Amino acid sequence: MSNAVSALQGAEYQGYVTVREMGLQGMISLRGDLASAKLKKAVKAVTGQAIPGQRGFNGSRDGGVGWMSPDELLLLVPYREMTAGLAEMETALTGEHYLAANVSDARALFCVEGDAAREVIAKLCPVDMSADGFGPGQIRRTRMAQIPAALWMPSEGQVEIVCFRSVAQYAFDLLKDAAEPGGEIGLF
């Protein structure tokens, strides 16, 4: 069996913000009835978090839940706990109509960190990145230039972005270009 490696093996760039590929991350795409008590209990058991409301994100990379659509969640767990978490989800949801898929190795996770993190994302995504439009505890599915992505803010000055692994280098290059020293606009 081969050893798992992340898409860019922890690549990092220091511009007027720090751009970093975050390494291996356990991710479960879960589809089902988000109002189901059984599903709510299973999500809490696996992540330690409650299901957030529309466009919400609860938790962190060690246990997080992002609202992706009216019937879809993105669950974050430590990579080494993915297999056990997925098995626990499947056992807990026996008899429910749902789909739970391990998407860990099909995704890449990035972090943009620094005072101008909002500005870097605003250069690439059609998302209102003002403090009134987007903040900690929220998630958005969007496009980052030509690729689909989802992003959330664990805290002020920090944005995490998930995209398909197949476009990880492109995403990293976009983020690097947007964070290039001298490119500060000072919007936020």
Side-chain angles (χ1 to χ4, degrees):
M1 181 175 195
S2 62
N3 292 328
V5 295
S6 68
L8 302 179
Q9 299 181 38
E12 187 172 316
Y13 174 76
Q14 184 63 53
Y16 70 99
V17 297
T18 301
V19 177
R20 185 178 325 111
E21 191 256 356
M22 298 306 294
L24 296 172
Q25 176 64 55
M27 295 184 213
I28 299 171
S29 178
L30 177 63
R31 297 196 79 131
D33 177 3
L34 303 187
S36 161
K38 212 173 184 182
L39 190 129
K40 289 177 182 180
K41 185 176 178 182
V43 167
K44 180 81 169 175
V46 171
T47 66
Q49 301 296 323
I51 294 176
Q54 184 177 15
R55 291 180 293 193
F57 184 87
N58 292 338
S60 68
R61 289 188 305 271
D62 289 333
V65 183
W67 183 94
M68 300 300 275
S69 74
D71 70 345
E72 182 181 7
L73 301 171
L74 177 65
L75 309 182
L76 301 181
V77 297
Y79 188 82
R80 67 190 176 284
E81 297 173 17
M82 167 48 55
T83 303
L86 189 59
E88 184 176 351
M89 182 72 55
E90 290 171 349
T91 300
L93 293 176
T94 299
E96 286 281 302
H97 179 72
Y98 77 97
L99 172 68
N102 176 354
V103 296
S104 308
D105 295 328
R107 305 288 187 270
L109 180 65
F110 297 93
C111 181
V112 175
E113 193 167 17
D115 292 340
R118 288 178 181 277
E119 180 172 298
V120 168
I121 300 303
K123 289 179 181 180
L124 300 170
C125 300
V127 173
D128 178 358
M129 291 302 294
S130 69
D132 291 338
F134 187 72
Q138 297 180 323
I139 190 170
R140 295 292 186 277
R141 287 179 92 162
T142 187
R143 296 197 70 73
M144 188 167 66
Q146 298 298 315
I147 60 172
L151 54 102
W152 59 91
M153 293 183 80
S155 62
E156 191 58 47
Q158 186 179 29
V159 179
E160 293 185 353
I161 304 112
V162 66
C163 68
F164 291 111
R165 181 186 179 109
S166 60
V167 295
Q169 186 65 58
Y170 177 74
F172 185 69
D173 291 344
L174 287 171
L175 292 165
K176 278 185 359 184
D177 287 348
E180 189 70 31
E184 303 93 328
I185 298 171
L187 293 175
F188 306 108

